[in-house]
Amino acid sequence: MPSATMQPREGEMFHVVPVIDLREDGVVHARRGDRGRYPPLRSSLCAGNDPVAVVGGLLRLHPFRVVYAADLDAIQGSGDNRPALARLKAAFPDIGFWVDAGFRSADAVRGFVASGLGDAVLGSESLDGLAPLAALKGDPAWARVILSLDFRDRFVGPPDLPDRLDLWPQRIIAMSLARVGSGEGPDWSRLAEIGRAKPQASLFAAGGVRDGNDLRDLAAHGSAGALVATALHDGRIGGAELNALDR
């Protein structure tokens, strides 16, 4: 159930951000953060799992402004999907891409931002310490940084990071990895906790979003947006629900 401690964001648009998980140049279906067992995506929105086809199918469903891309090979240190990201940016130049590519240093973030492929998502699970965030704060690249606070049973990342609010950028993702693809609903208590810690931040929920009701509850109770994948591809969230949020 939504927490009463989450406050509505008056006058601010709620953003639904579709998610694609990239592995070996294809899109896979994320489930509960068990990355080694993600199968190729099967979607009602497109044929096959080519990234350009998948994003094209999503955009036929709704004119999304931003797409989140997790480069699983880069996150796991087994390669990267830069060619797929370059194809996506060339095919959809007006779409903003938020990319988690397992960034572990400030220089990696700066290089990615300079590439023009998108904004850089720093996943807390990929960080060995606070130095990258400290180095980027005040840097021109800082405005292009999104911090993903990653949780399994507990927080995954530098143990001091949840208390170092000065190193949190404006955009924060509350990533409940165990709920990804689960259909269990958002982690309301986690969202409320992070919202209380830095109420001025733009907080995005990730993991467990089931349907239009969850989106409306998130919008009504303070989230700036939600990252969604499974419920878009299986049709539980359709164009009508998405269009209603834009009104």
Side-chain angles (χ1 to χ4, degrees):
M1 292 295 293
S3 170
T5 61
M6 297 173 67
Q7 298 299 316
R9 301 170 63 85
E10 295 296 333
E12 295 192 28
M13 181 177 291
F14 182 85
H15 296 278
V16 177
V17 180
V19 174
I20 59 171
D21 290 273
L22 299 170
R23 187 172 63 201
E24 296 179 351
D25 294 323
V27 181
V28 294
H29 185 179
R31 293 174 178 166
R32 297 185 182 273
D34 188 3
R35 295 180 177 127
R37 301 178 65 182
Y38 291 174
L41 179 71
R42 296 182 65 180
S43 175
S44 64
L45 303 177
C46 63
N49 72 328
D50 179 79
V52 172
V54 172
V55 173
L58 288 163
L59 293 176
R60 286 190 294 273
L61 176 68
H62 185 75
F64 297 106
R65 297 171 177 83
V66 174
V67 172
Y68 175 105
D71 184 338
L72 301 181
D73 295 310
I75 291 170
Q76 296 180 294
S78 60
D80 66 60
N81 286 272
R82 285 292 182 97
L85 292 168
R87 286 200 297 123
L88 284 168
K89 193 60 183 175
F92 308 106
D94 297 328
I95 299 299
F97 288 92
W98 296 358
V99 178
D100 182 349
F103 301 110
R104 293 170 175 81
S105 71
D107 283 343
V109 171
R110 294 186 186 106
F112 181 79
V113 168
S115 76
L117 294 178
D119 289 1
V121 177
L122 269 70
S124 64
E125 66 170 343
S126 298
L127 296 175
D128 293 326
L130 304 181
L133 288 164
L136 287 165
K137 188 176 180 181
D139 189 283
W142 185 243
R144 304 284 300 281
V145 169
I146 303 144
L147 175 62
S148 178
L149 297 172
D150 299 329
F151 298 86
R152 292 187 186 273
D153 293 334
R154 62 190 67 185
F155 176 68
V156 185
D160 294 340
L161 182 54
D163 297 322
R164 289 296 304 273
L165 305 183
D166 59 308
L167 296 180
W168 292 17
Q170 174 60 30
R171 292 172 292 176
I172 303 292
I173 296 169
M175 178 68 74
S176 297
L177 290 163
R179 292 180 180 241
V180 169
S182 71
E184 293 179 353
D187 189 337
W188 294 107
S189 61
R190 189 85 67 193
L191 289 164
E193 180 183 3
I194 296 171
R196 285 193 301 268
K198 194 160 186 176
Q200 68 271 34
S202 298
L203 178 59
F204 293 82
V209 174
R210 297 165 292 194
D211 51 30
N213 289 330
D214 280 344
L215 295 177
R216 287 187 289 272
D217 284 342
L218 286 164
H221 290 86
S223 292
L227 277 58
V228 185
T230 301
L232 295 172
H233 293 293
D234 67 17
R236 282 178 290 137
I237 296 175
E241 291 88 351
L242 295 164
N243 292 336
L245 289 166
D246 287 343
R247 294 173 188 158

